[in-house]
Amino acid sequence: MELLKKRIQKDGIVKEGDILKVDSFLNHQIDVELMDAMADEYIKRFDTSKITKVLTIETSGIAVAYSVARKLKVPFVFAKKTESVNLEGDVYSTKVVSYTHFREYDVIVSRKFLDSKDHVLVIDDFLANGCALRGLLSICMQAGASVEGIGVTIEKTFQRGGDDVREAGYHLESLAKIKSIDSKSNKIVFDN
Amino acid sequence: MELLKKRIQKDGIVKEGDILKVDSFLNHQIDVELMDAMADEYIKRFDTSKITKVLTIETSGIAVAYSVARKLKVPFVFAKKTESVNLEGDVYSTKVVSYTHFREYDVIVSRKFLDSKDHVLVIDDFLANGCALRGLLSICMQAGASVEGIGVTIEKTFQRGGDDVREAGYHLESLAKIKSIDSKSNKIVFDN
Protein backbone atom coordinates (compact mmCIF):
# COMPACT_ATOMS: atom_id res chain seq x y z
CA MET A 1 0.00 0.00 0.00
CA GLU A 2 1.81 3.04 -1.36
CA LEU A 3 0.38 5.63 1.06
CA LEU A 4 1.55 3.59 4.04
CA LYS A 5 4.98 2.85 2.60
CA LYS A 6 5.55 6.54 1.89
CA ARG A 7 4.56 7.35 5.46
CA ILE A 8 6.91 4.72 6.89
CA GLN A 9 9.71 6.01 4.69
CA LYS A 10 9.03 9.59 5.81
CA ASP A 11 8.37 9.11 9.55
CA GLY A 12 9.72 5.67 10.52
CA ILE A 13 12.76 5.63 12.77
CA VAL A 14 15.06 2.62 12.79
CA LYS A 15 16.60 1.63 16.11
CA GLU A 16 19.28 -0.92 16.86
CA GLY A 17 18.09 -4.52 17.01
CA ASP A 18 15.92 -4.27 13.88
CA ILE A 19 13.35 -2.12 15.68
CA LEU A 20 11.22 0.16 13.50
CA LYS A 21 9.43 2.92 15.41
CA VAL A 22 6.31 4.34 13.84
CA ASP A 23 5.16 6.24 16.91
CA SER A 24 4.05 9.30 14.99
CA PHE A 25 1.14 7.62 13.18
CA LEU A 26 0.59 4.05 14.41
CA ASN A 27 1.93 3.24 17.89
CA HIS A 28 1.58 6.32 20.06
CA GLN A 29 0.07 9.14 18.02
CA ILE A 30 -2.55 7.79 15.61
CA ASP A 31 -3.31 9.19 12.18
CA VAL A 32 -6.99 8.30 11.94
CA GLU A 33 -7.29 9.13 8.23
CA LEU A 34 -4.47 6.72 7.46
CA MET A 35 -6.16 4.03 9.59
CA ASP A 36 -9.35 4.51 7.58
CA ALA A 37 -7.45 4.19 4.30
CA MET A 38 -5.79 1.03 5.62
CA ALA A 39 -9.19 -0.41 6.49
CA ASP A 40 -10.37 0.19 2.91
CA GLU A 41 -7.31 -1.63 1.64
CA TYR A 42 -7.94 -4.67 3.88
CA ILE A 43 -11.53 -4.80 2.73
CA LYS A 44 -10.34 -4.88 -0.90
CA ARG A 45 -7.95 -7.73 -0.20
CA PHE A 46 -10.22 -10.07 1.78
CA ASP A 47 -13.60 -11.65 1.19
CA THR A 48 -15.29 -10.00 4.14
CA SER A 49 -18.83 -11.28 3.47
CA LYS A 50 -18.81 -13.84 6.29
CA ILE A 51 -16.86 -11.91 8.91
CA THR A 52 -18.63 -11.62 12.25
CA LYS A 53 -15.79 -10.27 14.35
CA VAL A 54 -12.41 -8.54 14.17
CA LEU A 55 -9.81 -9.80 16.65
CA THR A 56 -6.66 -7.95 17.67
CA ILE A 57 -4.31 -7.68 20.64
CA GLU A 58 -3.75 -4.70 22.89
CA THR A 59 -2.45 -2.06 22.51
CA SER A 60 -1.30 -1.02 19.09
CA GLY A 61 -3.69 -3.22 17.14
CA ILE A 62 -6.75 -1.49 18.55
CA ALA A 63 -6.81 1.55 16.24
CA VAL A 64 -6.50 -0.52 13.06
CA ALA A 65 -9.03 -3.07 14.30
CA TYR A 66 -11.44 -0.24 15.10
CA SER A 67 -11.27 1.18 11.60
CA VAL A 68 -11.82 -2.22 9.96
CA ALA A 69 -14.64 -3.24 12.33
CA ARG A 70 -16.33 0.10 11.76
CA LYS A 71 -16.41 -0.40 8.00
CA LEU A 72 -17.58 -4.01 8.31
CA LYS A 73 -20.23 -3.07 10.92
CA VAL A 74 -19.11 -5.84 13.28
CA PRO A 75 -17.72 -5.64 16.82
CA PHE A 76 -14.04 -6.09 17.52
CA VAL A 77 -12.37 -7.80 20.44
CA PHE A 78 -8.91 -7.03 21.74
CA ALA A 79 -7.04 -9.83 23.44
CA LYS A 80 -5.57 -8.75 26.75
CA LYS A 81 -2.00 -9.21 27.86
CA THR A 82 -1.63 -10.14 31.48
CA GLU A 83 1.31 -11.13 33.62
CA SER A 84 -0.84 -12.64 36.32
CA VAL A 85 -1.08 -16.41 36.43
CA ASN A 86 -4.45 -16.27 38.17
CA LEU A 87 -6.62 -15.91 35.12
CA GLU A 88 -9.95 -14.46 36.00
CA GLY A 89 -13.12 -16.17 34.86
CA ASP A 90 -13.81 -18.12 31.76
CA VAL A 91 -11.16 -17.29 29.17
CA TYR A 92 -9.20 -18.70 26.27
CA SER A 93 -5.53 -18.19 27.02
CA THR A 94 -2.12 -18.69 25.50
CA LYS A 95 1.46 -17.75 26.29
CA VAL A 96 3.30 -15.22 24.15
CA VAL A 97 6.97 -14.24 24.26
CA SER A 98 7.58 -10.57 23.53
CA TYR A 99 10.60 -10.04 21.32
CA THR A 100 10.65 -6.30 22.01
CA HIS A 101 10.31 -6.53 25.78
CA PHE A 102 12.11 -9.85 26.43
CA ARG A 103 9.39 -11.33 28.55
CA GLU A 104 6.60 -13.86 28.50
CA TYR A 105 2.99 -13.02 29.17
CA ASP A 106 -0.45 -14.59 29.02
CA VAL A 107 -2.88 -13.46 26.34
CA ILE A 108 -6.54 -13.92 27.14
CA VAL A 109 -9.92 -13.52 25.48
CA SER A 110 -13.19 -14.04 27.31
CA ARG A 111 -15.14 -17.06 26.07
CA LYS A 112 -18.21 -14.84 25.93
CA PHE A 113 -16.85 -12.92 22.96
CA LEU A 114 -15.61 -15.65 20.60
CA ASP A 115 -17.10 -19.01 19.69
CA SER A 116 -17.43 -21.60 16.95
CA LYS A 117 -20.02 -19.56 15.06
CA ASP A 118 -17.56 -16.69 14.56
CA HIS A 119 -15.77 -15.89 11.32
CA VAL A 120 -12.79 -13.83 12.33
CA LEU A 121 -10.54 -11.30 10.64
CA VAL A 122 -7.36 -11.11 12.72
CA ILE A 123 -5.66 -7.71 12.70
CA ASP A 124 -2.29 -6.66 14.11
CA ASP A 125 0.13 -3.80 13.65
CA PHE A 126 3.45 -5.67 13.34
CA LEU A 127 4.46 -9.14 12.23
CA ALA A 128 8.06 -10.19 12.82
CA ASN A 129 8.69 -13.58 14.45
CA GLY A 130 4.95 -14.08 14.72
CA CYS A 131 4.63 -14.88 18.42
CA ALA A 132 1.72 -12.53 19.12
CA LEU A 133 -0.07 -13.63 15.95
CA ARG A 134 0.32 -17.32 16.77
CA GLY A 135 -1.21 -16.49 20.15
CA LEU A 136 -4.26 -14.96 18.46
CA LEU A 137 -4.57 -17.94 16.11
CA SER A 138 -4.35 -20.33 19.05
CA ILE A 139 -7.21 -18.45 20.73
CA CYS A 140 -9.32 -18.73 17.55
CA MET A 141 -8.56 -22.46 17.48
CA GLN A 142 -9.56 -22.87 21.13
CA ALA A 143 -12.82 -21.08 20.33
CA GLY A 144 -13.41 -23.19 17.23
CA ALA A 145 -13.79 -19.94 15.28
CA SER A 146 -12.93 -19.77 11.56
CA VAL A 147 -10.07 -17.46 10.63
CA GLU A 148 -11.10 -15.83 7.36
CA GLY A 149 -7.94 -13.78 7.07
CA ILE A 150 -5.08 -12.06 8.81
CA GLY A 151 -4.32 -8.42 8.14
CA VAL A 152 -1.01 -6.98 9.27
CA THR A 153 0.10 -3.38 8.90
CA ILE A 154 3.88 -3.90 8.75
CA GLU A 155 5.55 -7.26 8.10
CA LYS A 156 9.26 -7.70 8.55
CA THR A 157 9.88 -10.32 5.86
CA PHE A 158 13.44 -10.84 7.07
CA GLN A 159 11.94 -12.66 10.03
CA ARG A 160 10.07 -15.98 9.86
CA GLY A 161 6.63 -15.08 11.20
CA GLY A 162 4.86 -14.30 7.92
CA ASP A 163 6.21 -17.31 6.01
CA ASP A 164 5.26 -19.66 8.85
CA VAL A 165 1.70 -18.39 8.89
CA ARG A 166 1.34 -18.56 5.08
CA GLU A 167 2.77 -22.09 5.04
CA ALA A 168 0.17 -23.06 7.63
CA GLY A 169 -2.45 -22.14 5.00
CA TYR A 170 -3.73 -18.82 6.29
CA HIS A 171 -4.62 -15.91 4.01
CA LEU A 172 -2.24 -13.25 5.27
CA GLU A 173 -2.12 -9.75 3.83
CA SER A 174 0.53 -7.25 4.93
CA LEU A 175 0.12 -3.65 3.83
CA ALA A 176 3.86 -2.93 3.93
CA LYS A 177 6.50 -5.65 3.70
CA ILE A 178 9.94 -4.66 4.87
CA LYS A 179 12.94 -6.54 3.51
CA SER A 180 15.62 -4.82 5.52
CA ILE A 181 16.22 -1.95 7.88
CA ASP A 182 19.45 -0.38 8.96
CA SER A 183 19.75 1.69 12.11
CA LYS A 184 22.97 3.43 11.11
CA SER A 185 21.63 4.95 7.89
CA ASN A 186 17.91 4.82 8.94
CA LYS A 187 17.42 3.02 5.59
CA ILE A 188 14.19 1.06 5.09
CA VAL A 189 13.91 -1.27 2.06
CA PHE A 190 10.48 -2.63 1.08
CA ASP A 191 9.72 -6.02 -0.37
CA ASN A 192 6.53 -5.20 -2.27
CA MET B 1 -26.70 9.74 27.25
CA GLU B 2 -29.70 7.42 27.19
CA LEU B 3 -28.34 4.88 24.68
CA LEU B 4 -25.25 4.34 26.81
CA LYS B 5 -27.14 4.16 30.09
CA LYS B 6 -29.49 1.55 28.66
CA ARG B 7 -26.54 -0.48 27.48
CA ILE B 8 -24.83 -0.29 30.88
CA GLN B 9 -28.07 -1.32 32.56
CA LYS B 10 -28.45 -4.24 30.14
CA ASP B 11 -24.88 -5.52 29.92
CA GLY B 12 -22.96 -4.07 32.88
CA ILE B 13 -21.85 -6.53 35.55
CA VAL B 14 -21.18 -5.31 39.07
CA LYS B 15 -18.34 -6.96 40.96
CA GLU B 16 -17.37 -6.63 44.58
CA GLY B 17 -15.33 -3.54 45.44
CA ASP B 18 -17.49 -1.15 43.39
CA ILE B 19 -16.18 -2.57 40.13
CA LEU B 20 -18.42 -2.19 37.08
CA LYS B 21 -17.48 -4.45 34.17
CA VAL B 22 -18.54 -3.33 30.71
CA ASP B 23 -16.43 -5.83 28.83
CA SER B 24 -19.06 -6.63 26.25
CA PHE B 25 -19.05 -3.19 24.59
CA LEU B 26 -16.30 -0.93 26.00
CA ASN B 27 -13.35 -2.71 27.62
CA HIS B 28 -12.73 -5.98 25.80
CA GLN B 29 -15.28 -6.35 23.01
CA ILE B 30 -16.01 -2.98 21.39
CA ASP B 31 -19.33 -1.91 19.94
CA VAL B 32 -18.10 0.46 17.26
CA GLU B 33 -21.54 1.91 16.48
CA LEU B 34 -21.96 2.86 20.13
CA MET B 35 -18.50 4.47 20.13
CA ASP B 36 -19.52 6.55 17.09
CA ALA B 37 -22.72 7.66 18.82
CA MET B 38 -20.71 8.59 21.91
CA ALA B 39 -18.37 10.67 19.76
CA ASP B 40 -21.36 12.58 18.35
CA GLU B 41 -22.53 13.27 21.89
CA TYR B 42 -19.13 14.63 22.97
CA ILE B 43 -19.02 16.87 19.93
CA LYS B 44 -22.42 18.29 20.91
CA ARG B 45 -21.28 19.00 24.45
CA PHE B 46 -17.93 20.69 23.77
CA ASP B 47 -16.78 23.62 21.68
CA THR B 48 -14.49 21.60 19.44
CA SER B 49 -13.51 24.42 17.07
CA LYS B 50 -10.00 24.84 18.47
CA ILE B 51 -9.14 21.22 19.19
CA THR B 52 -5.90 20.05 17.60
CA LYS B 53 -5.50 16.73 19.41
CA VAL B 54 -7.37 14.09 21.39
CA LEU B 55 -5.44 12.61 24.32
CA THR B 56 -6.26 9.36 26.08
CA ILE B 57 -4.50 6.61 28.02
CA GLU B 58 -4.04 2.99 27.02
CA THR B 59 -5.86 0.67 26.75
CA SER B 60 -9.57 1.19 27.12
CA GLY B 61 -9.61 4.86 26.18
CA ILE B 62 -8.27 4.16 22.69
CA ALA B 63 -11.54 3.15 21.01
CA VAL B 64 -13.47 6.18 22.27
CA ALA B 65 -10.58 8.51 21.46
CA TYR B 66 -10.43 7.05 17.96
CA SER B 67 -14.09 7.74 17.29
CA VAL B 68 -13.86 11.35 18.52
CA ALA B 69 -10.59 12.10 16.69
CA ARG B 70 -12.05 10.64 13.51
CA LYS B 71 -15.02 12.99 13.61
CA LEU B 72 -12.86 16.02 14.48
CA LYS B 73 -10.29 15.11 11.79
CA VAL B 74 -7.39 15.46 14.24
CA PRO B 75 -4.83 12.88 15.41
CA PHE B 76 -5.08 11.26 18.81
CA VAL B 77 -2.33 10.29 21.21
CA PHE B 78 -2.54 7.55 23.78
CA ALA B 79 -0.40 7.93 26.88
CA LYS B 80 1.56 4.77 27.65
CA LYS B 81 1.69 3.01 30.97
CA THR B 82 5.08 1.67 31.85
CA GLU B 83 6.50 0.02 34.91
CA SER B 84 10.07 0.65 33.90
CA VAL B 85 11.84 3.48 35.66
CA ASN B 86 14.24 3.95 32.76
CA LEU B 87 12.07 6.18 30.64
CA GLU B 88 13.16 6.10 27.07
CA GLY B 89 13.82 9.32 25.22
CA ASP B 90 12.25 12.67 25.58
CA VAL B 91 8.91 12.26 27.33
CA TYR B 92 6.48 13.95 29.68
CA SER B 93 5.85 11.61 32.58
CA THR B 94 3.80 11.29 35.71
CA LYS B 95 3.04 8.64 38.31
CA VAL B 96 -0.41 7.08 38.52
CA VAL B 97 -1.78 4.72 41.14
CA SER B 98 -4.18 2.11 39.77
CA TYR B 99 -7.14 1.54 42.03
CA THR B 100 -8.17 -1.60 40.14
CA HIS B 101 -4.76 -3.21 40.05
CA PHE B 102 -3.28 -1.90 43.31
CA ARG B 103 -0.05 -0.70 41.81
CA GLU B 104 1.80 2.40 40.74
CA TYR B 105 3.04 3.00 37.24
CA ASP B 106 4.55 5.73 35.11
CA VAL B 107 2.47 7.31 32.39
CA ILE B 108 4.40 8.84 29.50
CA VAL B 109 3.76 10.85 26.36
CA SER B 110 6.48 11.70 23.88
CA ARG B 111 7.28 15.41 23.75
CA LYS B 112 7.09 15.17 19.98
CA PHE B 113 3.31 14.70 20.07
CA LEU B 114 2.13 17.39 22.48
CA ASP B 115 3.23 21.00 22.92
CA SER B 116 2.09 24.47 23.92
CA LYS B 117 0.34 25.06 20.59
CA ASP B 118 -2.03 22.13 21.22
CA HIS B 119 -5.67 22.45 22.25
CA VAL B 120 -6.56 19.12 23.76
CA LEU B 121 -9.72 17.14 24.33
CA VAL B 122 -8.93 14.56 27.01
CA ILE B 123 -10.92 11.32 26.71
CA ASP B 124 -11.10 8.34 29.07
CA ASP B 125 -13.44 5.43 29.66
CA PHE B 126 -13.82 5.54 33.46
CA LEU B 127 -13.57 8.25 36.08
CA ALA B 128 -13.64 7.16 39.74
CA ASN B 129 -10.98 8.54 42.05
CA GLY B 130 -9.45 10.41 39.10
CA CYS B 131 -5.85 9.21 39.34
CA ALA B 132 -5.43 8.38 35.67
CA LEU B 133 -7.17 11.60 34.62
CA ARG B 134 -4.98 13.74 36.89
CA GLY B 135 -2.01 12.04 35.23
CA LEU B 136 -3.24 13.10 31.79
CA LEU B 137 -3.88 16.65 33.01
CA SER B 138 -0.39 16.79 34.49
CA ILE B 139 1.04 15.77 31.13
CA CYS B 140 -0.94 18.53 29.38
CA MET B 141 0.39 20.99 31.96
CA GLN B 142 3.97 19.84 31.41
CA ALA B 143 3.45 20.34 27.66
CA GLY B 144 1.87 23.78 28.17
CA ALA B 145 -1.09 22.54 26.13
CA SER B 146 -4.61 23.96 26.69
CA VAL B 147 -7.19 21.49 27.92
CA GLU B 148 -10.42 22.42 26.12
CA GLY B 149 -12.46 19.72 27.76
CA ILE B 150 -12.53 16.29 29.36
CA GLY B 151 -14.89 13.61 28.09
CA VAL B 152 -15.48 10.54 30.21
CA THR B 153 -17.67 7.59 29.29
CA ILE B 154 -18.65 6.43 32.79
CA GLU B 155 -18.23 8.52 35.95
CA LYS B 156 -18.72 7.01 39.37
CA THR B 157 -20.06 10.07 41.17
CA PHE B 158 -19.83 8.30 44.53
CA GLN B 159 -16.07 8.74 44.25
CA ARG B 160 -14.26 12.09 44.37
CA GLY B 161 -12.53 12.24 40.99
CA GLY B 162 -15.15 14.12 39.01
CA ASP B 163 -15.86 16.75 41.65
CA ASP B 164 -12.16 17.44 42.14
CA VAL B 165 -11.65 18.00 38.42
CA ARG B 166 -14.74 20.24 38.11
CA GLU B 167 -13.65 22.26 41.15
CA ALA B 168 -10.29 22.78 39.50
CA GLY B 169 -12.16 24.57 36.72
CA TYR B 170 -12.15 22.01 33.94
CA HIS B 171 -15.09 21.42 31.63
CA LEU B 172 -15.85 17.77 32.32
CA GLU B 173 -18.63 15.87 30.57
CA SER B 174 -19.53 12.31 31.56
CA LEU B 175 -21.90 10.39 29.32
CA ALA B 176 -23.19 8.21 32.16
CA LYS B 177 -22.97 9.19 35.81
CA ILE B 178 -23.37 6.37 38.28
CA LYS B 179 -24.55 7.18 41.79
CA SER B 180 -24.37 3.70 43.24
CA ILE B 181 -23.74 0.10 42.31
CA ASP B 182 -24.40 -3.02 44.30
CA SER B 183 -22.69 -6.30 43.56
CA LYS B 184 -25.23 -8.48 45.37
CA SER B 185 -28.25 -7.33 43.36
CA ASN B 186 -26.25 -6.16 40.29
CA LYS B 187 -28.19 -2.89 40.70
CA ILE B 188 -26.86 0.20 38.96
CA VAL B 189 -28.36 3.60 39.82
CA PHE B 190 -27.65 6.60 37.61
CA ASP B 191 -27.19 10.17 38.67
CA ASN B 192 -28.23 11.92 35.47
Side-chain angles (χ1 to χ4, degrees):
Chain A
M1 185 190 175
E2 284 309 312
L3 185 67
L4 175 65
K5 288 197 279 180
K6 275 185 190 155
R7 189 62 176 273
I8 295 168
Q9 205 60 274
K10 181 172 159 272
D11 291 332
I13 294 165
V14 183
K15 300 264 183 190
E16 262 183 65
D18 288 334
I19 305 285
L20 172 64
K21 292 199 83 165
V22 285
D23 271 7
S24 65
F25 59 94
L26 185 66
N27 291 145
H28 186 12
Q29 177 169 256
I30 312 288
D31 180 336
V32 176
E33 268 185 65
L34 179 64
M35 297 303 112
D36 275 4
M38 281 163 44
D40 287 333
E41 183 71 24
Y42 283 128
I43 287 167
K44 259 191 243 168
R45 294 190 187 193
F46 292 108
D47 174 7
T48 59
S49 57
K50 284 196 275 184
I51 296 192
T52 57
K53 210 152 272 188
V54 173
L55 176 68
T56 189
I57 183 164
E58 63 179 1
T59 305
S60 297
I62 295 177
V64 196
Y66 187 106
S67 65
V68 177
R70 191 179 164 278
K71 288 187 192 259
L72 296 179
K73 297 185 190 299
V74 298
F76 77 90
V77 173
F78 61 87
K80 296 185 177 197
K81 296 173 189 171
T82 166
E83 280 174 80
S84 77
V85 279
N86 293 316
L87 299 177
E88 211 190 288
D90 204 9
V91 297
Y92 309 111
S93 79
T94 186
K95 288 210 179 294
V96 165
V97 178
S98 166
Y99 173 78
T100 325
H101 301 103
F102 303 106
R103 66 181 184 202
E104 193 184 66
Y105 51 86
D106 290 302
V107 170
I108 60 170
V109 167
S110 167
R111 285 174 188 267
K112 282 188 285 187
F113 306 134
L114 203 63
D115 65 30
S116 60
K117 291 187 292 298
D118 278 313
H119 293 261
V120 178
L121 181 60
V122 176
I123 291 284
D124 206 4
D125 58 339
F126 269 94
L127 173 57
N129 60 23
C131 281
L133 181 55
R134 275 195 297 274
L136 291 177
L137 296 174
S138 160
I139 280 171
C140 289
M141 232 178 285
Q142 291 171 47
S146 312
V147 176
E148 298 295 327
I150 301 165
V152 162
T153 307
I154 299 172
E155 178 182 345
K156 292 172 175 170
T157 58
F158 56 88
Q159 288 187 251
R160 283 287 310 164
D163 287 344
D164 288 349
V165 165
R166 286 186 186 91
E167 280 162 23
Y170 290 100
H171 178 189
L172 165 65
E173 292 283 344
S174 305
L175 300 186
K177 289 181 178 172
I178 290 176
K179 192 155 63 178
S180 68
I181 50 181
D182 179 58
S183 62
K184 279 180 194 138
S185 59
N186 205 51
K187 201 177 168 192
I188 301 163
V189 180
F190 292 100
D191 210 4
N192 58 347
Chain B
M1 186 189 175
E2 285 310 311
L3 185 69
L4 175 66
K5 286 196 280 181
K6 275 184 192 155
R7 188 63 176 272
I8 294 168
Q9 205 64 272
K10 181 173 159 271
D11 291 332
I13 294 165
V14 183
K15 300 264 183 190
E16 260 183 66
D18 288 334
I19 305 284
L20 172 64
K21 292 199 83 166
V22 286
D23 272 7
S24 65
F25 59 93
L26 185 65
N27 291 145
H28 185 13
Q29 177 169 257
I30 312 288
D31 179 336
V32 176
E33 267 184 67
L34 179 64
M35 298 302 111
D36 275 4
M38 283 163 43
D40 287 333
E41 183 70 24
Y42 283 127
I43 288 166
K44 262 191 239 166
R45 294 189 187 193
F46 292 108
D47 173 7
T48 58
S49 57
K50 282 195 277 184
I51 297 197
T52 57
K53 209 154 272 189
V54 173
L55 176 67
T56 190
I57 182 165
E58 65 180 0
T59 303
S60 298
I62 295 176
V64 197
Y66 187 106
S67 65
V68 177
R70 190 178 165 278
K71 290 191 190 257
L72 295 179
K73 296 185 189 301
V74 298
F76 77 90
V77 173
F78 61 88
K80 298 187 178 196
K81 295 173 187 169
T82 166
E83 280 175 80
S84 77
V85 280
N86 294 316
L87 299 177
E88 210 190 288
D90 204 7
V91 297
Y92 309 112
S93 81
T94 186
K95 288 209 179 295
V96 166
V97 177
S98 167
Y99 173 78
T100 326
H101 300 103
F102 303 106
R103 66 181 184 201
E104 192 183 66
Y105 51 87
D106 289 301
V107 169
I108 59 169
V109 167
S110 167
R111 285 174 188 268
K112 281 187 285 185
F113 306 134
L114 202 64
D115 66 30
S116 60
K117 291 187 294 296
D118 278 313
H119 293 261
V120 178
L121 181 59
V122 175
I123 291 285
D124 206 3
D125 58 340
F126 269 94
L127 173 58
N129 60 23
C131 280
L133 181 55
R134 274 196 298 276
L136 290 177
L137 296 174
S138 160
I139 281 171
C140 289
M141 230 179 284
Q142 291 171 48
S146 312
V147 175
E148 299 295 328
I150 301 165
V152 162
T153 306
I154 300 173
E155 179 182 344
K156 293 174 176 169
T157 59
F158 56 89
Q159 289 188 250
R160 284 288 308 163
D163 287 345
D164 288 350
V165 164
R166 286 185 185 93
E167 280 162 23
Y170 290 100
H171 178 190
L172 165 65
E173 293 282 344
S174 305
L175 300 186
K177 289 179 179 174
I178 290 176
K179 194 155 63 177
S180 69
I181 50 180
D182 178 56
S183 62
K184 278 180 197 140
S185 60
N186 206 50
K187 200 175 169 194
I188 302 164
V189 180
F190 292 100
D191 210 4
N192 59 345

